Amino acid sequence: MPQGRIVKALAGYYYVQDGDTLWQCRARGVFRKKGITPLVGDEVTFETNGTEGTVTEVSARTSELVRPPIANIDQAILVFSLAEPVFNPQLLDKFLVHTEAAGVDAVICLTKADLLAEPEEVERILKRCKAIGYPVIVTSSKGKHGIEDIRAYLTGHLSVFAGQSGVGKSSLLNALFSELQLETAPISQKLGRGKHTTRHVELIHLPEGGWVADTPGFSSLDFQSIEANELALYFKEMRALLGECKFRGCLHVNEPGCSVRAAVEAGEIQSARYKHYLDFLQEIKDRKPRY
Ligand SMILES: Nc1nc2c(ncn2[C@@H]2O[C@H](COP(=O)(O)OP(=O)(O)O)[C@@H](O)[C@H]2O)c(=O)[nH]1
Ligand SMILES: [Mg+2]
Ligand SMILES: [Zn+2]
């Protein structure tokens, strides 16, 4: 039976790419019974009558993200604008926790560099991001800046562009691939954020090899599947210190002999990152139980 990859899911249909052919497929009812939802990125087996198809099997996934919903990515490009909307370091740290939890590599992409008049401001944000230990790329789709740097990261990978709406994800993909004409929208001056122009997750096959997904933006991201005692594992610079706290089960808040707090005090961990750790820990403790 033919096999392919789901590149788009829309209105109950899955679009499966097999070589140069795109098959419009339904999913078998058995998936619903088993609680499996096929995702964009899934490798699937399907049957076809020559025009339409039916997805009959979903292969085991190497990774899975809930927001945006996508399977088998090995890399997330976290897209954050330097301005319009203003750079949001807390949201960046939240995304980083989620990609770490999913076991996916992250690349930070700072967009709209042309809008920041002060080079010192860009330097400050860039330095902060680099110090966490992730690759950082500064881009401008308008000024065609940093586009080739992004391309180098995409080749051969299955990547997702993730970030708030209006930060310039679709514009960046259009700048990367001139034959693409993804819809983009000006951000609302009143709300200071983007409109949701990209309404679904869609995988694009790269001419150089690999795949990249454009995704809709979203305004919130929660920690439903992350427990308080694992949160520090998803802060890269804290993970290395975790065996060194005096108490097992240390949550790094005010326990004596805490190696994380010692590193914050010594300036080895950025205090802003630690503050976000405490914010997220509180958010996890305050969350309503799920039934
Ligand atoms: N000045 C400037 N504006 C940009 C840049 N990239 C995107 N924009 C604008 O930001 C708005 C949102 O872009 P879009 O690509 O739709 O964002 P998305 O929601 O993340 O896909 C549009 O008005 C774009 O023209 C850039 O590099 N510089
Ligand atoms: Mg978009
Ligand atoms: Zn500790």
Side-chain angles (χ1 to χ4, degrees):
M1 268 192 280
Q3 291 180 321
R5 192 184 291 281
I6 298 179
V7 296
K8 186 165 76 169
L10 207 61
Y13 281 105
Y14 296 97
Y15 295 83
V16 178
Q17 182 100 38
D18 176 15
D20 287 335
T21 315
L22 191 65
W23 295 95
Q24 178 171 307
C25 299
R26 292 278 189 191
R28 273 250 167 95
V30 295
F31 291 128
R32 216 167 311 129
K33 273 185 230 137
K34 288 190 195 158
I36 302 171
T37 310
L39 289 175
V40 172
D42 268 328
E43 289 183 301
V44 297
T45 305
F46 63 101
E47 296 169 349
T48 161
N49 59 12
T51 45
E52 286 208 351
T54 308
V55 174
T56 58
E57 214 178 301
V58 175
S59 303
R61 294 171 181 154
T62 57
S63 72
E64 188 180 327
L65 275 191
V66 180
R67 295 190 94 180
I70 190 160
N72 297 322
I73 54 158
D74 60 357
Q75 180 172 265
I77 312 291
L78 304 183
V79 184
F80 278 75
S81 50
L82 289 158
E84 297 183 20
V86 290
F87 179 66
N88 180 341
Q90 199 208 38
L91 191 64
L92 172 62
D93 285 341
K94 220 170 207 187
F95 270 83
L96 288 169
V97 165
H98 280 273
T99 49
E100 288 288 340
V104 162
D105 286 339
V107 174
I108 300 170
C109 174
L110 302 171
T111 59
K112 308 195 189 185
D114 57 282
L115 289 179
L116 272 198
E118 308 280 319
E120 304 82 46
E121 181 69 3
V122 182
E123 265 320 300
R124 194 182 58 77
I125 297 173
L126 188 62
K127 214 169 131 196
R128 177 190 186 277
C129 293
K130 275 190 178 152
I132 316 171
Y134 293 93
V136 194
I137 301 166
V138 178
T139 66
S140 164
S141 301
K142 207 168 209 173
K144 299 271 182 281
H145 176 82
I147 308 299
E148 293 314 308
D149 299 326
I150 290 281
R151 195 189 307 279
Y153 274 99
L154 298 182
T155 306
H157 290 277
L158 204 159
S159 316
V160 65
F161 272 33
Q164 286 174 285
S165 49
V167 294
K169 298 180 292 299
S170 299
S171 301
L172 204 53
L173 285 165
N174 285 337
L176 276 157
F177 308 104
S178 52
E179 67 283 7
L180 266 181
Q181 302 249 323
L182 297 171
E183 205 186 329
T184 63
I187 69 163
S188 150
Q189 292 301 335
K190 201 162 124 228
L191 299 170
R193 56 179 152 83
K195 295 180 206 150
H196 297 276
T197 311
T198 310
R199 290 196 178 76
H200 55 271
V201 179
E202 177 157 5
L203 266 182
I204 300 150
H205 201 189
L206 308 181
E208 303 92 347
W211 300 82
V212 61
D214 191 18
T215 66
F218 37 89
S219 46
S220 73
L221 199 60
D222 62 30
F223 290 111
Q224 283 303 349
S225 56
I226 295 173
E227 300 304 327
N229 62 7
E230 54 179 335
L231 182 62
L233 284 172
Y234 307 135
F235 281 75
K236 218 178 186 163
E237 70 278 51
M238 295 184 192
R239 187 161 57 215
L241 301 169
L242 295 185
E244 293 167 29
C245 294
K246 184 168 174 196
F247 295 106
R248 279 183 67 188
C250 183
L251 288 179
H252 327 296
V253 180
N254 47 25
E255 299 90 334
C258 172
S259 61
V260 170
R261 278 206 2 256
V264 175
E265 274 152 34
E268 289 153 14
I269 289 178
Q270 296 176 45
S271 51
R273 284 272 288 171
Y274 178 64
K275 184 185 173 296
H276 295 158
Y277 168 80
L278 294 177
D279 294 342
F280 301 164
L281 190 67
Q282 197 56 48
E283 208 175 308
I284 291 171
K285 286 177 173 170
D286 290 346
R287 82 181 162 207
K288 307 229 168 19
R290 267 197 307 178
Y291 299 102

